[in-house]
Amino acid sequence: METLKNVLIMLGAILIPLITLAVGLSGGYAEGRAAMVGQALLLLLAAGFAFKKKFLAMGLYLAGILFVATMYPKIEAFSSYSREGSTLGQLSELRSSLAGMKTADGTSPDAILKVTTPLRLKNGHKDTSAIYTVRLPDEAYLFPPEIPAGETLRVTLKQEGADWKQDYAWTRENKWPLLLYPGGTYIYEIRRENPARLVSSGTVKVPVPPGFNVDSGEYAYDQAHGWIFINCTHSGRQHVIPWWTW
């Protein structure tokens, strides 16, 4: 009987950390509840063994806590490379498909083909393959001016009240409207690179259009402006900028 108890203690010290990793990584980031629950259970069991003066068993469960605390963030970081890379790759494919249909038909299509890989954004969002059609106002886009051949315009964009700032480059061959997420106020500057000079600057407040679901965690397609984006205000783990900016 004593041997069986020792085997169960050993299995618990091994399985609880592994189950914690498996559950947590399938449902959230390293700071998720799964890690805290698993570590709390290990600590409670370690305290119980300490009370019974089974110090070897206590040490095993304390080692399990250390294992979860060390490995959980590392495994999640590795997993996020694949998840976020796949998401951004699929977004690029959707935009290329959209551009091809627009070129062929002369107008943006009413709908886009289904996605092949569901969005897995975490941060409380459910995995989804849905693409919802939205109608954003013109204020939700920063449109490029006319750009002479061979010239580069540098765009600096930041959001009021948020620790977020991003730089873009527009050329005659590579110019696309920049999305300004509804509900925010944005400050922008457009500068000519060579010779350096300010082209334009300003502040834009973007209203939330009727029926727009803020931070829905889904693909959103604005047919009127021919743009598809990820409707998520959270940042990625590897690319620490909001998903909607991609």
Side-chain angles (χ1 to χ4, degrees), residues 81-131:
Y81 275 111
S82 174
R83 183 176 64 249
E84 294 181 17
S86 174
T87 298
L88 295 176
Q90 182 166 250
L91 178 62
S92 179
E93 290 177 4
L94 286 171
R95 287 175 175 167
S96 296
S97 177
L98 174 61
M101 288 186 282
K102 186 175 181 180
T103 299
D105 300 334
T107 184
S108 298
D110 294 332
I112 301 180
L113 299 175
K114 293 181 180 179
V115 298
T116 57
T117 304
L119 276 174
R120 296 185 175 92
L121 302 175
K122 307 299 185 182
N123 296 105
H125 293 307
K126 294 181 179 180
D127 295 354
T128 179
S129 297
I131 301 178

Side-chain angles (χ1 to χ4, degrees), residues 53-225:
K53 297 184 179 180
K54 294 184 177 182
F55 298 113
L56 179 59
M58 178 195 72
L60 287 173
Y61 281 76
L62 290 176
I65 295 173
L66 181 61
F67 176 79
V68 172
T70 302
M71 294 304 298
Y72 198 117
K74 292 182 179 180
I75 295 176
E76 173 55 32
F78 179 79
S79 172
S80 65
Y81 275 111
S82 174
R83 183 176 64 249
E84 294 181 17
S86 174
T87 298
L88 295 176
Q90 182 166 250
L91 178 62
S92 179
E93 290 177 4
L94 286 171
R95 287 175 175 167
S96 296
S97 177
L98 174 61
M101 288 186 282
K102 186 175 181 180
T103 299
D105 300 334
T107 184
S108 298
D110 294 332
I112 301 180
L113 299 175
K114 293 181 180 179
V115 298
T116 57
T117 304
L119 276 174
R120 296 185 175 92
L121 302 175
K122 307 299 185 182
N123 296 105
H125 293 307
K126 294 181 179 180
D127 295 354
T128 179
S129 297
I131 301 178
Y132 283 92
T133 300
V134 298
R135 176 63 173 90
L136 300 184
D138 289 345
E139 295 94 331
Y141 296 91
L142 184 62
F143 295 96
E146 287 296 324
I147 305 175
E151 186 170 301
T152 299
L153 297 181
R154 297 290 176 180
V155 187
T156 300
L157 184 64
K158 58 184 177 180
Q159 183 178 0
E160 277 191 358
D163 186 20
W164 172 79
K165 178 182 177 181
Q166 203 158 2
D167 296 316
Y168 304 88
W170 278 335
T171 64
R172 189 171 184 177
E173 297 75 23
N174 190 19
K175 56 178 182 178
W176 61 93
L178 301 180
L179 177 66
L180 309 178
Y181 196 84
T185 300
Y186 303 88
I187 303 167
Y188 72 90
E189 282 189 353
I190 303 175
R191 292 182 175 275
R192 184 177 178 180
E193 189 175 65
N194 189 21
R197 69 176 176 84
L198 179 66
V199 175
S200 65
S201 62
T203 301
V204 181
K205 185 174 183 179
V206 183
V208 178
F212 181 74
N213 189 4
V214 175
D215 194 36
S216 66
E218 301 153 333
Y219 282 114
Y221 172 49
D222 184 0
Q223 190 267 344
H225 295 93

